[in-house]
Amino acid sequence: MRGAVLHAPRDVRVEERDDPKIIQPTDAIIRLSATCVCGSDLWPYRGIESVDGPSPMGHEYVGIVQEVGSQVRAIKPGQFVVGSFYASDNTCELCQAGYQTACINKEPIGANGAQAESLRVPLADGTLVATPDIPSDDLLPSLLAASDVLGTGWFGAVAAEVSPHKTVAVVGDGAVGLLAVLAASQLGAERIIAMSRHAPRQQLAVEFGATDIVTERGDAGVARVKELTGGLGAHSVIEAVGTQESMLQAVRSARPGGHVGYVGVAHAVTLPGEELFFSHVHLHGGPAPVRRFLPELVDLIWNRQIDPGKVFDLSLPLEQAAEGYKAMDERRAIKTLLRL
């Protein structure tokens, strides 16, 4: 099969890879219908995360089940499925508590490389969610978004305790931040402040439910959020970047007693303990347990109540994956869909 492989920073090649095979009796093999480039893929692409030899890339996927192992019971060949970026059994105590990305048997899907024509998914029964039928082509982008960025934005909103009558601030205008805006709207937030400097992203944030746009960053961004909230700060803040500046901006934008949901993959982030102590701010986040939310999100998408696929503003064939990375790296695209 063909698949994207990162050989070195900014060196993505689509090349021949071995076809995936059933290794464990709980595996499934999926023929992918679509995949994509994630903002977190840009960390190794930019050399911020080390690359130890050629690495298959990608962890977001939808497609049709081709084959299942002898112990797979719920997932059947021929079904169209959506899965999370971590395989999980969905039965252990941590999964049952809603933290499938902490499953005691978890496996990262990225190790198998989902930017490819086919994919082996471990723990298929616990990881995959089937749609009611084979979806029409126009639903593919939204179902693909559910595999990671929608579920991650949704977890950010849940972790930030978003609910009706609250004011929410979202730090980050990538796909996760934009879909956190959508999630906050769906969860009933009264006011949603999207922090963005880019006009196309601002427009999409408004389409997803943002009521205010803040263009300032850092301390200036914090001051603007405080100004919009009577000097108090937001009840809920969603951090969707993962840098020192974005995390401090999120914590400082929250009011005392407020909640910060952080879902940006943290890189060199340290928090000042004394400031945090006196802030009275709650922090919760980490790798999003997308599997917890998938049944609800698939239902919302299937019934056309939400359209998260709008975050894909560049669509390319798999063979042009390198251009997809480059466009996102240069902020010419919010998120690249790779067609198969």
Side-chain angles (χ1 to χ4, degrees):
M1 68 171 183
R2 302 287 286 169
V5 177
L6 181 66
H7 285 260
R10 292 184 166 80
D11 181 8
V12 174
R13 308 175 200 172
V14 177
E15 54 195 32
E16 290 296 324
R17 292 179 49 208
D18 291 339
D19 289 334
K21 293 180 171 58
I22 298 289
I23 297 174
Q24 298 295 331
T26 51
D27 290 348
I29 305 298
I30 300 174
R31 178 71 178 181
L32 298 187
S33 301
T35 182
C36 55
V37 181
C38 184
S40 62
D41 293 330
L42 297 181
W43 296 104
Y45 178 78
R46 291 167 172 162
I48 297 171
E49 288 180 5
S50 61
V51 179
D52 184 18
S55 301
M57 295 297 289
H59 53 263
E60 298 161 280
Y61 56 99
V62 294
I64 295 177
V65 178
Q66 300 294 297
E67 182 184 359
V68 298
S70 60
Q71 293 181 18
V72 177
R73 299 287 180 262
I75 298 300
K76 311 292 184 186
Q79 287 181 316
F80 186 93
V81 292
V82 184
S84 170
F85 54 86
Y86 264 103
S88 58
D89 58 33
N90 210 34
T91 58
C92 77
E93 189 171 339
L94 297 175
C95 285
Q96 290 297 296
Y99 288 89
Q100 288 89 340
T101 40
C103 175
I104 60 174
N105 294 309
K106 69 180 181 182
E107 293 188 45
I109 292 294
N112 296 334
Q115 290 165 10
E117 293 175 324
S118 297
L119 177 70
R120 180 181 75 89
V121 178
L123 303 169
D125 278 341
T127 304
L128 300 172
V129 172
T131 56
D133 203 343
I134 304 299
S136 56
D137 286 347
D138 66 314
L139 283 181
L140 285 182
S142 287
L143 290 167
L144 180 58
S147 181
D148 181 352
V149 286
L150 175 60
T152 296
W154 203 277
F155 176 57
V158 169
E161 300 282 340
V162 173
S163 62
H165 313 301
K166 287 186 176 179
T167 293
V168 181
V170 180
V171 180
D173 65 355
V176 170
L178 291 168
L179 291 174
V181 170
L182 183 151
S185 179
Q186 288 290 308
L187 293 170
E190 182 174 296
R191 190 176 191 185
I192 303 171
I193 303 167
M195 310 189 86
S196 172
R197 291 179 169 180
H198 303 273
R201 299 173 189 232
Q202 294 170 358
Q203 180 180 343
L204 191 51
V206 170
E207 286 185 44
F208 283 156
T211 57
D212 300 85
I213 300 293
V214 168
T215 59
E216 296 86 351
R217 288 184 182 173
D219 291 342
V222 172
R224 182 65 180 137
V225 171
K226 293 286 182 71
E227 182 183 340
L228 290 170
T229 55
L232 299 177
H235 299 93
S236 301
V237 183
I238 302 163
E239 190 283 322
V241 183
T243 64
Q244 178 76 14
E245 180 186 50
S246 63
M247 181 62 91
L248 289 178
Q249 183 173 321
V251 171
R252 291 168 180 170
S253 294
R255 66 178 59 197
H259 293 76
V260 173
Y262 59 98
V263 289
V265 181
H267 286 76
V269 173
T270 58
L271 296 176
E274 187 174 355
E275 178 184 342
L276 192 61
F277 179 79
F278 285 103
S279 72
H280 287 111
V281 169
H282 303 74
L283 294 179
H284 182 43
V290 170
R291 180 60 180 81
R292 185 206 304 184
F293 308 108
L294 266 181
E296 177 184 4
L297 299 180
V298 167
D299 186 65
L300 287 169
I301 292 164
W302 191 263
N303 292 302
R304 300 182 183 273
Q305 294 174 258
I306 58 173
D307 188 9
K310 290 180 179 179
V311 296
F312 292 105
D313 56 347
L314 179 62
S315 179
L316 297 170
L318 176 64
E319 289 294 331
Q320 295 180 30
E323 170 56 23
Y325 274 82
K326 191 169 186 286
M328 287 177 62
D329 180 43
E330 296 172 354
R331 295 185 71 84
R332 292 185 283 111
I334 299 171
K335 191 165 178 66
T336 302
L337 185 146
L338 299 174
R339 301 190 306 271
L340 293 151

